[in-house]
Amino acid sequence: MLSVRQRTRGPFRRWLRLVRTSACGPDAHRPGHQAGGTEDTVPADFTPDLAHEPHEIPGPPFGDDPAQVPPAPSIAPSTASSPAPRLSAGQPRQDRAPGTFDNPSESSRQTWKPTHARRKEVLKALGIFQRATAEHLWRMLRPGDRHDRCTRDTLNALKEQGKVWVETRLESNHQLWVLTERGHKEAKQLLPGNVRVSALRKLEFDEDGEPVTGDGFDEHAAAVTLTAAVLTGAGFGTPLSWQTEIGHKLPYGYTQYADLTMRAPDVDVPAMLLEVDRVNEPVDVLVAKVRRYTEWFELLAPKADKAKARAARHDGAAVHDFRLWSRIYPETGQEGYVPVAFVFTGKTKAQRASRMRRLEQAARPYFAGTKYPGGGITAVDYHQAVPVVVTELERITADPDGAAGKVWRRLGRDEWQTLTEALDNPDGDRLHVVQRELSRRRQAEREAVNREAQRPVCGRCGSKFTDDRWDTVRRYPAQDHRELCGPCLHEHHEQVKAEKAARRQAEEAAAREPAEAEAKKNRGRFGRRR
């Protein structure tokens, strides 16, 4: 027998749908009518006027021809300018001139009609993310629009074609859209082969014939899609840059699934793994995720030389050439592994802040890195560390610059920075190069001082030896007069030569004296004979 709740749930839901339908009927568009705050209601000032309606913005993110989608999609630089103020189509009316709309028109022939290009881009996005609200798709696909009206019209057009359906309503009262089997097949054909298509969400019914939903899972899936949407809208990716639920298998049989992965070569943030947390799990679970990511990053690639990999551990980034992750993700452009981002949402601001602090304390061994050796060196070696950044969806949506603003914090730092600043390592290799050169200079100066202190002094004049004289003394330890400097030694040698010459002259003079005396004697004798 059915319970009272089961007997009344079906009629109540049917009554609720009638109420919602009446809220979107003709009365909903009369002047003075207040919108219910959902994405299905339209204020009076959004009533279409074909003479002034703006058409779609050219250049959809996916393009019209799936065959032209590049195999390795990239993202725009993360310095995207802040878009014009936007508002949800369910917000209260605002005062504006008659005949004007939130989407500024480029010509008077613009229309709200959902185009084929818009249908294709919505199908592709739902094929990647499985679940999304109109607001998510608006932020992701058409960040230049002022509101999500055209996106909602596109979803309703796809619903009439049997390609999408509304799975549930979130706590925010937004509809959560998913693909039907027909839409899933078409999305799979539109997406390039290197993009993983999410699993088909099959419609299940309860005993009353009402759809069965998993509210907790739906809220988490919506938060994941919103994270990708706000990042994409800020210029950090295109829908083709993202994939959901990518597994990272570990040798002991466990597979760590990432809520979101981003691959976008040739930009400031080429790769990133994201975990969305609704503050409903123990912090130990988050720490275990960081630990398992670290273990996966350390796995060697197939057929990698283990001996060379061990030797390369002490050679900075060279070790990553032997790792499995470098075969799957593009180079990060920084030291270390692929960055991991935790995006918190839900509960209170204080609870989210407390969660970040506890994660920072417990996961420090995995993201802190190690200090480079050497006196006076404060630089950190991040090559074997996982860069971990945190943020909040509430903080991102409140910031005028969105995800491109200073809404990210690198664990181990206190300040909030932009994503590129947070992932940079000013205290890493660049600082190590500077400090190592400075240390080398200081060591050379100390050695020069010590050398001068040991330099010999001349025993005669008191002058210090020149480098050449000092090297000669050390090279020939048995040399005489080692206590004399070069000039004094030269003077000594000249003095010795002079003394030798004087002695030789004296000896020669002494040898000549007897001969000269004999010659004088003989001359005197001859003189008497005459």
Side-chain angles (χ1 to χ4, degrees), residues 281-292 355 358-359 362:
E281 291 180 322
V283 175
D284 293 342
V285 174
L286 307 184
V287 177
K289 290 181 179 181
V290 180
R291 173 180 57 81
R292 287 191 285 264
R355 200 167 182 81
R358 287 183 291 157
L359 174 62

Side-chain angles (χ1 to χ4, degrees), residues 103-332:
N103 282 5
S105 62
E106 296 181 1
S107 71
S108 60
R109 294 189 301 273
Q110 294 175 337
T111 63
W112 286 109
K113 181 179 179 181
T115 63
H116 181 62
R118 283 185 179 265
R119 291 189 180 97
K120 287 169 58 177
E121 68 185 23
V122 168
L123 288 175
K124 292 178 183 180
L126 288 176
I128 295 173
F129 296 100
Q130 190 182 75
R131 293 167 167 84
T133 67
E135 180 185 5
H136 299 163
L137 298 172
W138 160 48
R139 290 177 178 272
M140 182 184 303
L141 304 175
R142 297 287 171 168
D145 289 358
R146 293 287 299 278
H147 57 71
D148 60 352
R149 175 174 182 171
C150 195
T151 302
R152 290 185 296 107
D153 291 345
T154 303
L155 285 168
N156 288 324
L158 290 172
K159 182 180 179 180
E160 293 177 359
Q161 297 175 356
K163 297 179 181 180
V164 299
W165 58 282
V166 178
E167 181 184 44
T168 186
R169 281 187 180 270
L170 302 176
E171 295 176 357
S172 61
N173 210 22
H174 287 77
Q175 291 179 333
L176 195 64
W177 295 81
V178 296
L179 294 172
T180 63
E181 185 174 358
R182 178 184 174 186
H184 189 269
K185 291 180 179 179
E186 184 171 343
K188 191 172 183 179
Q189 294 174 353
L190 294 174
L191 288 170
N194 65 327
V195 176
R196 176 180 176 272
V197 183
S198 62
L200 175 64
R201 180 74 172 100
K202 295 183 179 180
L203 181 60
E204 300 177 0
F205 299 91
D206 58 13
E207 296 176 354
D208 297 329
E210 296 294 330
V212 176
T213 62
D215 295 336
F217 181 78
D218 290 336
E219 292 290 342
H220 179 267
V224 170
T225 307
L226 178 58
T227 299
V230 294
L231 285 168
T232 304
F236 283 108
T238 67
L240 293 179
S241 304
W242 301 96
Q243 291 189 345
T244 61
E245 294 299 325
I246 297 299
H248 302 80
K249 190 173 182 179
L250 294 164
Y252 47 83
Y254 190 91
T255 301
Q256 178 63 54
Y257 289 92
D259 289 336
L260 278 171
T261 59
M262 184 183 73
R263 296 180 181 88
D266 304 326
V267 295
D268 292 339
V269 186
M272 186 164 56
L273 309 179
L274 293 98
E275 294 289 338
V276 178
D277 181 75
R278 300 179 62 240
V279 198
N280 55 2
E281 291 180 322
V283 175
D284 293 342
V285 174
L286 307 184
V287 177
K289 290 181 179 181
V290 180
R291 173 180 57 81
R292 287 191 285 264
Y293 280 130
T294 303
E295 294 172 348
W296 187 82
F297 287 135
E298 292 178 349
L299 294 179
L300 293 179
K303 299 181 181 180
D305 192 316
K306 296 182 179 180
K308 292 182 179 179
R310 284 193 298 269
R313 286 184 64 91
H314 307 288
D315 192 17
V319 66
H320 300 311
D321 294 336
F322 301 93
R323 299 285 174 80
L324 175 63
W325 75 265
S326 64
R327 309 293 198 273
I328 299 175
Y329 293 98
E331 294 184 4
T332 63

Side-chain angles (χ1 to χ4, degrees), residues 377-428:
I377 301 293
T378 61
V380 180
D381 182 0
Y382 289 111
H383 289 287
Q384 311 292 322
V386 179
V388 181
V389 294
V390 295
T391 188
E392 303 164 280
L393 272 178
E394 292 79 2
R395 182 182 294 269
I396 292 176
T397 54
D399 192 280
D401 295 327
K406 295 182 180 295
V407 295
W408 302 87
R409 185 170 76 83
R410 173 86 168 260
L411 294 189
R413 303 176 188 172
D414 296 329
E415 67 274 15
W416 291 89
Q417 302 173 301
T418 64
L419 182 57
T420 52
E421 291 172 344
L423 294 178
D424 191 21
N425 296 314
D427 58 340

